[in-house]
């Protein structure tokens, strides 16, 4: 272990499916310098993927490893520490108990990353590395992260992520899912290939949309080694021909034979087998790929960068926000939503949100919820016109939108699920099940959104916003129009009552007509 260094170190501890890792780093002359890196093997993934839980023995081992890590951190005087986990904790039924015990015994707060957050972090770092170190034209590039328990797939259009999907299968989980089959049998690899066919057929990206494929993942070093790929900077370039050849060689071999062939342990041989099958399977998304660019991306690296590099977190949030809206617009297009109407509603909603900051007291990130609701609120009409608000709610809370947490999706679903005839209240059991704090947030956002939606009720963009003014107990909205706006006026009045109930302000719509 190195001696304590100056400069305010930061540490990231990752609890993974097959290892617990810690990296201690500091920023020196604008570059991130690794002070120390530790790793201990664990078998938490096998426990969770087979039994659904982390055992007491596994928890005790994990706590013991973390004790060693915290002792090492004390040598560096490092107090800036984040402890994260992804699939293995997400899928552990007793994750709350595990997190509580780690807090009690190790004084560490465990962050369990959602699929969307993990994928957004990996994608942002992948894009950063490729822009700095690769000549790859990134327009229409599929970025896939193959983890031990999940696969994140995204389509990058050159400026934002337009498609985002999470597939709950990874190299270790695939192995454990099919572990009841006899791997010694020659019939095993066709089963894996058929299973992966089912998985990859769910990817909502057509081959015509893809120009390049970028693959990365927790087992990239192992796959690159099997393919004889060399590393330049943070990038491997793997020949598609060699990738298929490596898989074709191992697919009929036993784990012990694979271990002997590559001089690795049988545990690593098991992972190599399924990792190669997944990486090769990804090639079917676009069959014209001769070489695959594979950046060596690590979740610890990404989080460390956000902790140490000024502006990194802010840039990430801006990129994620843009991609969330682009991703939502693509989904809206599939459900024949009115794009121009959505833009009009979003403009009204964001203007109201900004003007009312001192009134609503909501955090800035809630403005994104209003924008997403503007894009997606009419998607339920594609399913059922009569119950479209309920259909919109059910669709949106289950959408896969880049970078959005399940809580953000649920907020967007609630805001989208009310029109001029319905408001959150005691008759909505979904709303009543939430905490009082969340109900208040939703009520505020719904009140703003309903008023904004009413201003383009005809979906013909008749009104042009002139001024928003708050005086005493009134919210005055002044608009100009060259059309008959009686429908918008009626819808506005229908929505005014709930707005006043939430904010204590009486909304008034002043229409200046330019009709000749």
């Amino acid at each position: 272990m190195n001696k304590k260094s100056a400069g305010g170190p930061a540490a990231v501890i990752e609890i993974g499916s097959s290892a617990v890792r810690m990296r201690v780093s500091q920023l020196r002359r604008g570059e991130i310098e690794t002070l120390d890196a530790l790793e201990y093997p664990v078998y938490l993934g096998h426990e969770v993927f087979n039994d659904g839980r982390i055992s007491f023995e596994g928890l005790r081992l994990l706590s013991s490893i973390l004790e060693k890590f915290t002792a090492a951190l004390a040598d560096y005087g490092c107090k800036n520490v984040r402890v994260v986990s992804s699939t293995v904790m997400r899928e552990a039924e007793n994750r709350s108990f595990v997190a509580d015990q780690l807090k009690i015994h190790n004084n560490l707060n465990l962050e369990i990353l959602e699929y969307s957050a993990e994928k957004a972090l990996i994608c942002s770092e992948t894009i950063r590395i490729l822009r700095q170190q690769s000549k790859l034209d990134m327009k229409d590039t599929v970025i896939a992260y193959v983890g031990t328990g999940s696969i994140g797939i995204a389509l990058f259009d050159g400026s934002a992520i337009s498609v985002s999907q999470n597939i709950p299968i990874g190299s270790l989980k695939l192995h454990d899912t099919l572990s009841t089959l006899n791997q010694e049998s020659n019939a095993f690899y066709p089963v894996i290939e058929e299973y992966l066919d089912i998985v990859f057929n769910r990817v909502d990206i057509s081959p015509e949309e893809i120009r390049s494929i970028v693959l990365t993942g927790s087992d990239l070093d192992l796959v690159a080694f099997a393919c004889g790929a060399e590393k330049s900077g943070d990038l491997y370039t793997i020949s598609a021909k060699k990738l298929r050849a490596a898989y074709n060689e191992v697919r009929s071999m036993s784990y012990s034979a694979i271990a002997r062939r590559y001089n690795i342990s049988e545990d690593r041989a098991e992972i190599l087998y399924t990792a190669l099958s997944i990486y090769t399977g990804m090639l079917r998304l676009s069959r014209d790929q001769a070489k695959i660019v594979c950046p060596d991306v690590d979740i610890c690296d990404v989080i460390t960068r956000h902790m140490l590099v000024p502006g990194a977190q802010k840039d990430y949030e801006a990129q994620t926000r843009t991609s969330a809206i682009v991703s939502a617009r693509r989904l809206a297009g599939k459900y024949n939503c009115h794009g121009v109407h959505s833009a009009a509603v979003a403009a009204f909603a964001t203007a109201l949100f900004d003007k009312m900051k001192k009134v609503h007291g909501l955090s800035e990130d809630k403005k994104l919820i209003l924008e997403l609701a503007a894009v997606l609120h009419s998607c339920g009409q594609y399913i059922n016109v009569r119950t479209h608000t309920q259909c919109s709610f059910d669709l949106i809370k289950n959408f896969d939108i880049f970078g959005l947490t399940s809580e953000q999706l649920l907020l967007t679903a609630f805001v989208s699920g009310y029109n001029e005839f319905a408001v959150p209240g005691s008759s909505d059991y979904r709303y009543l099940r939430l905490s009082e704090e969340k109900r208040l947030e939703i009520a505020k956002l719904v009140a703003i959104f309903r008023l904004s939606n009413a201003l383009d009720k005809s979906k013909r963009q008749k009104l042009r916003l002139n001024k928003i003014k708050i005086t005493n107990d009134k919210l005055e909205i002044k608009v100009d129009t060259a059309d008959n706006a009686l429908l918008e006026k009626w819808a506005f009045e229908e929505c005014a009552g709930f707005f006043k109930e939430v904010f204590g302000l009486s909304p008034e719509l002043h229409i200046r007509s330019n009709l000749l």
Side-chain angles (χ1 to χ4, degrees), residues 131-368:
R131 281 175 170 166
Q132 288 185 354
Q133 302 182 28
S134 172
K135 296 180 180 179
L136 178 71
D137 180 0
M138 295 186 65
K139 183 174 173 57
D140 302 329
T141 295
V142 163
I143 300 172
Y145 177 78
V146 182
T148 54
S150 65
I151 303 171
I153 298 177
L155 180 63
F156 185 63
D157 66 9
S159 59
I161 300 294
S162 59
V163 180
S164 173
Q165 281 188 263
N166 291 306
I167 300 173
I169 199 72
S171 54
L172 180 59
K173 192 174 182 180
L174 177 60
H175 167 268
D176 288 352
T177 298
L178 302 178
S179 61
T180 54
L181 296 173
N182 182 6
Q183 197 269 337
E184 302 296 330
S185 168
N186 287 334
F188 184 64
Y189 76 83
V191 174
I192 284 198
E193 291 175 1
E194 289 170 7
Y195 186 85
L196 289 175
D197 274 338
I198 296 171
V199 169
F200 290 126
N201 282 340
R202 299 171 186 162
V203 176
D204 189 25
I205 307 171
S206 68
E208 292 75 23
E209 295 180 276
I210 302 170
R211 294 173 62 181
S212 307
I213 294 179
V214 172
L215 300 178
T216 186
S218 52
D219 306 308
L220 175 60
D221 287 343
L222 188 60
V223 171
F225 167 69
C227 296
E230 294 185 359
K231 192 175 186 181
S232 174
D234 294 310
L235 297 175
Y236 289 105
T237 301
I238 299 179
S239 159
K241 183 177 180 180
K242 289 185 177 180
L243 180 58
R244 291 189 179 98
Y247 172 63
N248 288 335
E249 180 182 14
V250 305
R251 67 180 186 174
S252 298
M253 296 169 66
S254 67
Y255 294 142
S256 57
I258 296 171
R260 290 192 300 271
R261 165 68 177 81
Y262 291 102
N263 194 27
I264 56 177
S265 68
E266 284 202 27
D267 285 344
R268 297 282 282 165
E270 292 175 7
I271 298 302
L272 176 60
Y273 186 96
T274 50
L276 279 172
S277 65
I278 292 172
Y279 275 68
T280 306
M282 292 294 299
L283 296 178
R284 72 192 70 187
L285 297 178
S286 178
R287 300 186 183 278
D288 297 330
Q289 305 298 313
K291 293 183 178 181
I292 312 298
V293 177
C294 301
D296 189 8
V297 177
D298 184 282
I299 195 73
C300 288
D301 291 338
V302 190
I303 295 174
T304 297
R305 179 171 295 281
H306 289 189
M307 293 171 74
L308 291 175
V309 177
Q313 179 68 23
K314 186 177 180 180
D315 290 345
Y316 164 76
E317 289 171 357
Q319 183 186 61
T320 302
R321 188 181 189 281
T322 300
S323 292
I325 294 172
V326 171
S327 177
R329 284 174 181 160
R330 175 170 169 130
L331 284 167
K334 289 181 175 292
Y335 291 90
N336 295 336
C337 295
H338 302 272
V340 180
H341 166 66
S342 297
V345 174
F348 287 131
T350 53
L352 277 171
F353 184 93
D354 290 340
K355 187 66 177 180
M356 294 177 61
K357 282 182 180 179
K358 293 181 180 180
V359 178
H360 59 60
L362 295 167
S363 56
E364 187 67 17
D365 63 307
K366 296 302 182 292
K367 184 157 64 173
L368 175 61

Side-chain angles (χ1 to χ4, degrees), residues 376-392:
L376 297 167
H377 70 280
S378 60
C379 63
Q381 293 181 359
Y382 185 88
I383 306 299
N384 189 312
V385 175
R386 185 174 58 85
T387 60
H388 66 91
T389 54
Q390 175 66 53
C391 292
S392 290

Side-chain angles (χ1 to χ4, degrees), residues 55-70:
S55 67
F56 286 106
E57 292 76 11
L59 177 55
R60 281 193 285 269
L61 174 60
L62 175 58
S63 182
S64 173
I65 293 169
L66 293 177
E67 281 183 13
K68 295 181 176 68
F69 285 178
T70 51

Side-chain angles (χ1 to χ4, degrees), residues 116-117 119-120 164 316 320 323-324 400-405 408:
S116 57
K119 182 171 61 183
S164 173
Y316 164 76
T320 302
S323 292
D400 208 340
I401 298 177
F402 184 80
L404 289 198
T405 65
Q408 289 174 307

Side-chain angles (χ1 to χ4, degrees), residues 355 359 467-478 504-506 508 510:
K355 187 66 177 180
V359 178
K467 188 177 183 180
I468 300 173
K469 185 179 179 181
I470 299 174
T471 54
N472 298 324
D473 59 350
K474 292 181 181 179
L475 172 77
E476 297 180 61
I477 300 177
K478 298 181 180 181
L505 297 172
S506 295
E508 293 184 359
H510 301 285

